[in-house]
Structures are given as structure tokens and as C-alpha cells.
Amino acid sequence: MALTQQSSDEDTRTKLHTGRLGVIGIVFFVVAAAAPLVGMTGAVPVAIVLGNGAAAPGAYLVVGITLLLFSVGYAAMSQRVTNAGAFFAYIGRGLGRHAGIASAFVSILAYVAVQLAIYGFFGGLIAAQVGVLPWWAWTLIAWIVVTALSLLSVDVGAKVLGGLMLLELTALVVTSIAILVNGGPEGLNFAASFSPDKILVGGLAGSAGIAFAFAFASFIGFEATAIYGEESKNPKKVVPRATYLAVGVITVLFALTSFAMVTGMGASTVVDKTAELSNKLVDPAAVLFSLATQYIGPWMATVMSILVLSSLFAGLLAFQNAASRYIFAMARGGVLPVSLSRVNRRGAPSNASLITSVITGLVIAIFAIFQLDPVLTLFFWFSGLAVVAIVLIEILVCVAVIVYFRRNKGTENVFEAIIAPVLATIGLLLGEYLLMSRFGLLAGTPAAGVDPSVTAWALSPVGWVLVLLPFALLAVGFVVSVSRRKVNDELLRDVLS
């Protein structure tokens, strides 16, 4: 009897609370992680000026369609596998345990990296707007609050994110509709933004490639739906629905808002006006804020400037949850120390959340001690690293889906099992090439004396370290997996089956 009770207590301490999240709750986490307002204020102006101009909305639409194709196989796998470390479980099912565990190390790197990037941007932005305290002090305040919220029940975090995200989406949609109804100086020019020849202007090795690279970077975080499968009310139904809804919402929102920005400035003059409003991309957020002021009023620009901060905070909490659940899943399977698999009374992976905060806190401290710029280094370096890592894992997931469904025939049709994953693999491979070849521009790490908007593959030593780190960690993770003989087969069953 005592042994049974002990086993039951042990099981409770290493299981996430189920039934906490529905479709909308998961979508809140995922859309919050994509930080739409940050992407529209930070990435779109760069994609317009250095990329394909008025056709930047088309680049966002193409990338969204590519990720929808990825979601087909991803959602189909969620019907077979429910695990807090979704990517590594899926890759493990298709490509074997060692590949799955190796990929988990890269996933953890990606989510911690993007969280660090957001911390840098958050602290730098408040320090610039408010002052009073240095950037690292504002970042520390956010770090404390995020850590505290991550230790609460996951549905508490979802409610916080939901409120912030709804305000953010409302501001973007209202501004976009106001511009599109007005028509801007030249009216609605769909051909300039969405025709294939305009989207691909300059070629993938040139301006179009730059636009696609920034578009891929803007979507990071959409894939986190399956991470919350164990905590959802009905993972077999909730995860696929949440995945499609999240990707659809993000795609439509990005394409709509960027098209509204182009319309507001006029397709024929959008490049020059974007460069002018942003002071040659020194302040890219000024573009959307100026349009909001022009077409709605100064109050909307003020609201947006506040919501940018809430958007960043929402992203911090979303990626804290994502990273901690990967660490939790790895620890529960015996790959990482078992102490990291403990959950608290609220059902949150407390030890994994705390170690995630320790890692980010140490990196932030290093950047503060060496007085490195929080935006030019912490934000740009780690956001570039994160998107290269995530796309690498997405490629492996696509291959794993194809292999798994060939070996394990089920009710999935040919589109779910083969066609969609193959098309997504091609698109993601192309996206990874564009991200890596333009990494100097994306991460602000070009080789000395080189214009990164003109020359590809010209990186500084720091740039090369960052762009190759995901691949190096994949190899390290594989070695660790091979050397870890004592894994919990039952808790890693989704990988080992």
C-alpha cells in the first residue's frame, strides 16, 4: 500500500496538470510568442526598404502558406503523440531516439535565445522611452515577473497573455482597416503586393531573399501549440485546431497589416517613405506609428507604443513556458537531471522554469557587466540565432513526419502524410538558406567593411559562431543521447516507440 501511494505521489510530481487549456488558450500563447506588433514595427520596414518593397506583404503570405503546409503534418502527428516536448517526440518517432533527443537540445537553445532577444529589446526600449533606470534594471524587473508567472498554473498565464494579445490585435486590425478604407494616396494596389513577379523581384539571392528572411523571422513561435498538448482539455482535437487557427491568424494579420502599411504610403513611393519615416531604418517602429497618427490619430500611436511593451512581455512569458516544458520533458525521460522534472502544486514545471530563468539571468548579467548594447547585440544576435535553430528543427520534423507515416500507416491521407510535408520541407530548406546567407543583415553581424544587404554569406566571427551553433548543438545532443543509456523508456515512449 505504501509503495502504491509513493508511486502515485511520484507520478503526480512529474505530470503536468491536464485539462487546463482549450483551443483559444493555446492560441493565446502561440500568437503572443509571435509578437505581431513587434514584427510589424520592427521587421516589415526592413523587409520593405532592403527587400522587395511594396511586395513585402506577399513575402509574408508565401511564408505563412509554407508554414500552413508544415502544420498539416505537424497536426497529423499530434493525433498520434502527446508530449510536452513535441518536436523531439515527433522527430524521435520518425528518425529515432538519438535524433529526437539531439533536436531537443536545439529547441531549448532556440526558445532560450528568442527569450534573451526579447529581454534585450524590452529593457532597451523602456530605458530609451522612460529612462530613470538602466536597461538591465528594467529587464531584471521583467525577469522577476515572468519567473513568478511561469510558476503559476498554465491557465493563469494564458489569461494574462490573452488580455494583452487581444489589445494588440485590436490595435493592428483597427489601424489596418482605417488605412484600407481610406485607400491611401494611390488606392488598393493588390498587384504591387501580391503578384508573383513582384514578390520575387530581385531574385532569392537578392532583395526578395531579404524580404523572405525577415518574414520567416517574424513567424517564430507559431509551432508551440503541441507543447501544451498534455495540459489541454482534449489534445487529439485541441492541438490540430489550435495549430491551424494560430498559423491562420498570424498569416492573415501579418499580410493584412503589411499591406495596409504599403497602401498608407502608396505602392510606388513606399520604399522612399519608409526610409524617410524610419530615419533610414534607425527607428523602424516610427513607420507604423506615423501611419496610425495620420489615419486614426495621435492617441493610437501612443496606445501602440505601450502595446509594443506588453507584446514583448507576452512573448517573454510564452517562450519561458516553451523552454521550461522542453527541459521538463527531457528531464522526465532521464536525459537531463531528474530533479528538473518536478512540478509544483499548481501543476507547473517549477524546477525547469527556474533553471530557464537562471540561464537567461546569467546571460543578461554578462551583457550588462560588459556594457553591451541590449538591442544591437542581445536582441539582434539572439533573434537571428533563434530563427535559424527553429527552422532547422522544423525541417527535421517534416522529414520525421514523412518517414513515420510511411512506416506506420493509419487514417492519414496522402496529402497529410506525404504531399504537405514534402512541400513544407522544400520551402523550409529554402528559408533556412535565406536566413543563413543573410545572417549578417538579420543579426547585425556582417563582416567588416561589407554591406550585408548586397553581399551574402559575409559574416563576422561572432556571426559565424551564432549561425553554426544550432548545428553544433545538434551534434552534441546526438553524442549525449548515445552516451545516456539510462533513460526512462516509459516516459520517453513517444520517442522510443
Side-chain angles (χ1 to χ4, degrees), residues 172-184 260 291-292 295-296 300:
L172 285 173
V173 171
V174 168
T175 301
S176 298
I177 291 175
I179 295 173
L180 295 174
V181 169
N182 179 279
L291 290 170
Y295 288 93
I296 297 181
M300 179 58 85

Side-chain angles (χ1 to χ4, degrees), residues 167-255:
L167 291 173
E168 180 182 346
L169 296 185
T170 299
L172 285 173
V173 171
V174 168
T175 301
S176 298
I177 291 175
I179 295 173
L180 295 174
V181 169
N182 179 279
E186 300 177 10
L188 305 181
N189 191 338
F190 290 97
S193 292
F194 298 108
S195 63
D197 60 317
K198 300 296 184 183
I199 294 173
L200 296 173
V201 67
L204 293 177
S207 54
I210 294 173
F212 279 115
F214 277 88
F216 268 106
S218 298
F219 276 86
I220 187 171
F222 86 92
E223 72 295 324
T225 50
I227 292 174
Y228 300 101
E230 290 187 41
E231 295 160 280
S232 66
K233 296 174 181 177
N234 185 346
K236 303 299 183 184
K237 293 183 178 180
V238 166
V239 171
R241 292 174 183 174
T243 301
Y244 288 126
L245 182 58
V247 178
V249 167
I250 296 170
T251 300
V252 171
L253 184 66
F254 282 0

Side-chain angles (χ1 to χ4, degrees), residues 466-490:
L466 292 172
V467 80
L468 295 177
L469 185 57
F471 299 89
L473 195 59
L474 186 70
V476 170
F478 193 89
V479 172
V480 170
S481 177
V482 171
S483 64
R484 289 287 281 184
R485 299 295 183 183
K486 295 181 180 179
V487 296
N488 188 322
D489 285 7
E490 181 182 355

Side-chain angles (χ1 to χ4, degrees), residues 50 205-207 210 437-438 441 450-458:
L50 301 180
S207 54
I210 294 173
S437 63
R438 294 293 177 178
L441 180 64
V450 174
D451 184 350
S453 65
V454 176
T455 306
W457 295 107

